[in-house]
Amino acid sequence: MARYVFITGGVVSSLGKGLASAALGALLQARGYTVRLRKLDPYLNVDPGTMSPTQHGEVFVTDDGAETDLDLGHYERFTGRPTSKADNITTGRIYRDIIAKERRGDYLGATVQVIPHVTDAIKEFVRDGNESYDFVLVEIGGTVGDIEGLPFFEAIRQLGNDLPRGDAIYIHLTLLPFIPSAGELKTKPTQHSVKELRSIGIQPDILLCRCDRPIPPEERRKLGLFCNVRETAVIEARDVDTIYEVPEAYHREGLDTEVLRAFGIEPAGAPDLSRWREVTRRVRHPEGEVTIAIVGKYTGLKDAYKSLYEALVHGGVANTVKVNVDWIESEIFEREDPAPFLEHVHGILVPGGFGQRGAEGKIRAATFARERKVPYFGICFGMQMAVIEAARNLAGVGDANSTEFGPTSEPIVGLMTEWTRGNALESRSAEGDLGGTMRLGAYDARLKGGSKVADIYGSQDISERHRHRYEVNTDYRERLEARGLVFSGMSPDGLLPEIVEYADHPWFVGVQFHPELKSRPFEPHPLFASFVEAALHQSRLV
Ligand code: GLN
């Protein structure tokens, strides 16, 4: 039987609840337990797929094609367990299903209500499919007190009684702000937050307190006393310099021990954290450094490129170098010469993106990388822009463009209207819904023998996660290949371009998928490891 850990947040948002949950998952794993992490999101969107990356951060895509919250990325990176559709749910999805049932008449005349219908649906979701896990960690998005979060808090409160006694615990993540004029870490916001939680019937077993300095014994005592928590269960969660230090830092503060004790399990020995130590050692003691320019359009919010940034860190770990990132708004290159911005960098990465704004700037970045022989990594949109660049500047297709930006006489990149997933045909039209209709999730690709990417992957058959609506138009393939842009990866049916590369460039690769979603600290993605290695070579040249 799975045991449940419910993780809630208080005081302010952005405390790193997802990371804290992922780190606890890693700690339990390091003690030999099997864990599953899941996220409940109280917003009304059916999934985050249609939300702006600058508001909500990256949309993380699972193998089975769900567009999910970026915390699932933390879960995968910290536990290595691939997440799925079934690991993230939103209020929107719950209501959508309930309303569909109501219209079918499934409720047989009942008045459909938040309690019990919505809360039952949440509980059913939380308990489903957990048979093979020792621990299920369930993170509730938002902070306690949010109106939209109430049904979720109510559902997890009920679960505390539905589950066998002792099979569920509650962790509350809060902030202890330091007030300079008082020279103290303040406990009052946490006291209020726990009061709020208790008013809806949830008594936390453990407090995880984010702070920027040690919690003095007096404050710890106060927190225990006023929040009705054992003093040893007040866990200091201090800021650390790398996120991969978090599991070890939390272990030192006793988090895993307290969690096990809360379940009545006496911890045996210590968790094996050697691989975490190795990663943090490499992050802290690099043998060199490289600078990568990320030329994107959501650079204002770093969370918009969460997995991408982490994959670059992993590429650094693979090469034991530090990766510095220069974040550059691509629109700048529409007004200014890219050279002064890019001359000193060792690699240029154009990430995924949507819409016309900034596209021309990305094309200029690709021109610069191609002509100056600077390593270039184009991901999804970044690949599409690199192909448009080649068409315009090498193949003489001056009007080359993407239909994403409007009608064009030279659709180098066009709307995908049909493709196959396994044996099923997927069809789309320009008038269709935007939500959940892209080419999403894991698809196989076949790599060309002798290509750079086949060498990097060490295989000709790969599977990567996708999230796009447009594709490179194979009508132009011959003309582009004649000018040196090789289509080195295709869908298994040979219809959809998956990877392009230049044979006569040190490292210029464009991929239609999102390799960053599958990179992990212990298994850096081969493309990121190779890109950082190429950047390292470049750094010796400039
Ligand atoms: N906007 C492009 C498309 O839909 C690229 C998407 C992306 O970069 N994820 O095809």
Side-chain angles (χ1 to χ4, degrees):
M1 263 288 271
R3 293 179 168 89
Y4 289 81
V5 181
F6 295 107
I7 299 144
T8 60
V11 181
V12 290
S13 58
S14 303
L15 285 180
K17 204 159 8 95
L19 196 62
S21 307
L24 174 59
L27 281 177
L28 292 168
Q29 254 187 353
R31 285 186 171 277
Y33 295 108
T34 54
V35 294
R36 174 183 196 182
L37 285 127
R38 318 183 73 186
K39 173 99 194 263
L40 311 179
D41 275 314
Y43 49 72
L44 282 173
N45 305 59
V46 169
D47 61 43
T50 55
M51 291 190 203
S52 160
T54 47
Q55 262 194 37
H56 188 259
E58 160 189 281
V59 173
F60 190 80
V61 182
T62 59
D63 280 330
D64 61 354
E67 297 178 282
T68 70
D69 188 81
L70 58 76
D71 281 329
L72 273 75
H74 290 307
Y75 302 168
E76 288 204 9
R77 286 187 286 274
F78 276 73
T79 67
R81 174 187 170 273
T83 55
S84 76
K85 235 178 213 122
D87 291 315
N88 187 199
I89 201 162
T90 68
T91 299
R93 214 168 103 202
I94 293 199
Y95 273 77
R96 189 190 63 182
D97 295 350
I98 287 180
I99 290 168
K101 263 169 117 176
E102 187 275 333
R103 293 288 81 187
R104 278 200 308 268
D106 289 0
Y107 292 107
L108 299 173
T111 308
V112 185
Q113 293 178 302
V114 173
I115 304 174
H117 300 98
V118 171
T119 45
D120 279 355
I122 296 170
K123 291 197 293 184
E124 213 173 288
F125 174 83
V126 168
R127 295 187 70 165
D128 189 48
N130 298 329
E131 301 73 22
S132 59
Y133 297 94
D134 297 321
F135 290 96
V136 177
L137 277 50
V138 183
E139 178 191 347
I140 292 87
T143 42
V144 58
D146 297 346
I147 288 180
E148 58 185 15
L150 278 171
F152 289 93
F153 283 91
E154 170 61 14
I156 65 166
R157 179 196 68 75
Q158 291 177 20
L159 278 168
N161 288 333
D162 297 352
L163 291 163
R165 204 179 277 278
D167 273 4
I169 68 161
Y170 301 88
I171 298 181
H172 193 51
L173 179 72
T174 73
L175 174 72
L176 301 185
F178 179 77
I179 305 297
S181 56
E184 281 176 355
L185 279 178
K186 289 297 184 188
T187 65
K188 193 67 89 188
T190 299
Q191 294 179 39
H192 280 295
S193 185
V194 171
K195 197 166 154 199
E196 183 80 33
L197 202 55
R198 291 172 71 190
S199 75
I200 51 179
I202 297 174
Q203 167 62 53
D205 297 281
I206 292 169
L207 290 181
L208 195 51
C209 303
R210 291 297 311 272
C211 48
D212 65 355
R213 61 201 68 213
I215 309 175
E218 178 54 21
E219 271 67 32
R220 194 181 283 269
R221 200 189 55 76
K222 233 188 201 167
L223 283 166
L225 184 65
F226 290 109
C227 301
N228 193 28
V229 166
R230 288 162 195 275
E231 253 180 76
T232 52
V234 176
I235 308 287
E236 177 181 303
R238 219 168 347 140
D239 301 344
V240 287
D241 55 355
T242 151
I243 57 168
Y244 299 111
E245 161 78 11
V246 174
E248 228 196 314
Y250 286 4
H251 168 65
R252 274 197 304 271
E253 296 304 323
L255 178 64
D256 47 324
T257 316
E258 280 305 317
V259 166
L260 292 177
R261 289 208 173 121
F263 283 112
I265 304 170
E266 198 42 45
D272 176 8
L273 295 174
S274 48
R275 59 182 196 157
W276 292 101
R277 279 189 203 112
E278 178 55 16
V279 168
T280 43
R281 186 191 67 76
R282 285 180 181 232
V283 171
R284 291 221 175 98
H285 306 288
E287 286 158 14
E289 53 186 283
V290 296
T291 301
I292 305 289
I294 295 185
V295 182
K297 70 186 265 193
Y298 315 117
T299 52
L301 180 72
K302 303 293 178 281
D303 270 1
Y305 299 113
K306 191 82 221 154
S307 295
L308 184 74
Y309 178 76
E310 293 309 326
L312 282 170
V313 172
H314 305 160
V317 166
N319 292 280
T320 324
V321 294
K322 178 169 191 291
V323 178
N324 303 305
V325 173
D326 267 6
W327 301 93
I328 304 176
E329 249 327 290
S330 60
E331 269 182 302
I332 293 176
F333 296 162
E334 293 170 12
R335 303 185 296 269
E336 290 181 51
D337 177 11
F341 294 87
L342 298 178
E343 252 154 5
H344 65 282
V345 305
H346 311 124
I348 297 169
L349 195 156
V350 177
F354 293 83
Q356 188 160 22
R357 183 177 70 77
E360 290 299 323
K362 294 176 184 175
I363 292 172
R364 300 235 161 91
T367 312
F368 181 91
R370 179 177 55 76
E371 290 180 346
R372 303 283 197 102
K373 300 232 181 282
V374 180
Y376 177 90
F377 196 177
I379 294 182
C380 207
F381 198 74
M383 173 222 199
Q384 297 172 356
M385 295 307 110
V387 178
I388 292 176
E389 195 279 327
R392 286 185 192 172
N393 301 327
L394 290 178
V397 189
D399 290 333
N401 225 320
S402 167
T403 61
E404 181 170 0
F405 314 144
T408 165
S409 56
E410 302 281 8
I412 299 285
V413 177
L415 181 72
M416 250 182 314
T417 50
E418 267 186 14
W419 68 93
T420 50
R421 179 175 193 107
N423 293 323
L425 185 69
E426 303 256 354
S427 306
R428 301 287 187 270
S429 73
E431 295 76 39
D433 281 357
L434 287 184
T437 55
M438 280 187 261
R439 182 175 178 233
L440 289 167
Y443 281 87
D444 293 338
R446 178 127 193 96
L447 312 186
K448 189 178 171 134
S451 62
K452 182 176 295 180
V453 283
D455 179 49
I456 292 171
Y457 275 97
S459 165
Q460 275 178 257
D461 295 296
I462 61 164
S463 167
E464 292 282 4
R465 296 183 193 169
H466 291 68
R467 181 173 187 251
H468 60 115
R469 205 179 296 287
Y470 298 84
E471 65 180 322
V472 171
N473 184 347
T474 45
D475 289 351
Y476 294 87
R477 179 174 179 174
E478 243 171 71
R479 272 192 274 173
L480 290 164
E481 290 206 319
R483 307 312 299 247
L485 187 68
V486 184
F487 285 51
S488 52
M490 298 294 290
S491 56
D493 59 10
L495 296 176
L496 301 176
E498 293 277 6
I499 308 182
V500 294
E501 63 182 58
Y502 286 110
D504 62 348
H505 188 287
W507 209 100
F508 194 111
V509 176
V511 297
Q512 186 56 77
F513 45 82
H514 289 277
E516 71 273 24
L517 302 177
K518 283 176 61 170
S519 188
R520 278 120 195 225
F522 309 115
E523 282 168 81
H525 191 286
L527 285 173
F528 282 88
S530 174
F531 176 57
V532 171
E533 193 187 350
L536 194 57
H537 285 297
Q538 181 71 11
S539 73
R540 295 186 179 128
L541 301 177
V542 294

